[in-house]
Amino acid sequence: MADRQEFAGIARERASAWRRTAFLMCGDWAAAEDIVQVTLVRLYKQWNRLDAAGIDAYTRRVMSRLAIDEARRPHRRAEVLIPPPEHPVPAVCSADGIDVRAALDRLAPRQRAVLVLRFYCDLTVSQTAVALRITEGTVKSQTARALTTLRASLPAASVSTPTTERLLP
């Protein structure tokens, strides 16, 4: 695909969906934007080599690796130096959505990436294994462990009716 105009069109069209996926992987909108930007740079560099059918798979692979790498960096544990606001900002999300995001934040980066790829991006076990460069058995075990952790940390009402709508604000 040598057409750079086509790249710009696809980037504009899919960037918001990629940003939501990155947010689910890392739990931070600013980090999600950074992940998408780095993904777009890498996509641009590989544009001539990619097949049109493989663009989404390539971006998911890059985003999941970046999210896992980002979670391992020491600056993620840095102290926040901004004072809290004087008045709390009212939440626009339901309480269940906040519980699910908080539960996702407690997962290990790879477990979170596996859940996002499997259930939000609707990938199969083998597709998830290829995207993360792990075995299918690892995908299955990470999925099982992550779901067990989520079930333990969420109220019973949230677990009985899971929907992806609770994950996004």
Side-chain angles (χ1 to χ4, degrees):
M1 284 198 254
D3 187 18
R4 301 298 177 166
Q5 295 298 336
E6 188 178 357
F7 170 81
I10 287 174
R12 264 188 244 104
E13 175 185 309
R14 299 182 185 171
S16 63
W18 291 339
R19 183 174 168 250
R20 286 190 301 271
T21 302
F23 170 75
L24 290 173
M25 289 182 186
C26 69
D28 180 15
W29 284 110
E33 289 173 354
D34 292 344
I35 288 170
V36 171
Q37 288 301 314
V38 173
T39 301
L40 287 171
V41 169
R42 291 184 183 180
L43 180 63
Y44 185 78
K45 287 180 180 179
Q46 298 296 320
W47 190 251
N48 292 333
R49 297 181 185 148
L50 293 175
D51 180 27
I55 293 172
D56 286 324
Y58 178 80
T59 56
R60 283 191 299 265
R61 184 180 319 126
V62 171
M63 286 190 303
S64 61
R65 290 180 190 159
L66 288 171
I68 291 169
D69 289 345
E70 182 69 21
R72 293 179 180 159
R73 294 188 185 192
H75 75 270
R76 296 276 294 164
R77 295 180 290 275
E79 182 181 346
V80 177
L81 301 175
I82 301 171
E86 291 182 23
H87 302 287
V89 178
V92 294
C93 300
S94 70
D96 289 342
I98 293 169
D99 291 342
V100 172
R101 277 187 303 246
L104 281 173
D105 286 341
R106 288 190 286 272
L107 293 176
R110 181 178 286 169
Q111 289 179 355
R112 186 176 183 146
V114 166
L115 286 185
V116 170
L117 292 175
R118 288 278 291 126
F119 301 111
Y120 184 73
C121 295
D122 220 12
L123 298 183
T124 64
V125 171
S126 59
Q127 290 170 329
T128 303
V130 169
L132 294 175
R133 287 188 179 171
I134 56 178
T135 65
E136 290 183 19
T138 303
V139 171
K140 292 175 186 178
S141 67
Q142 292 291 306
T143 301
R145 289 180 185 145
L147 290 176
T148 300
T149 303
L150 284 178
R151 286 184 185 114
S153 61
L154 291 173
S158 296
V159 176
S160 63
T161 57
T163 62
T164 56
E165 295 168 352
R166 292 187 194 147
L167 297 176
L168 297 175

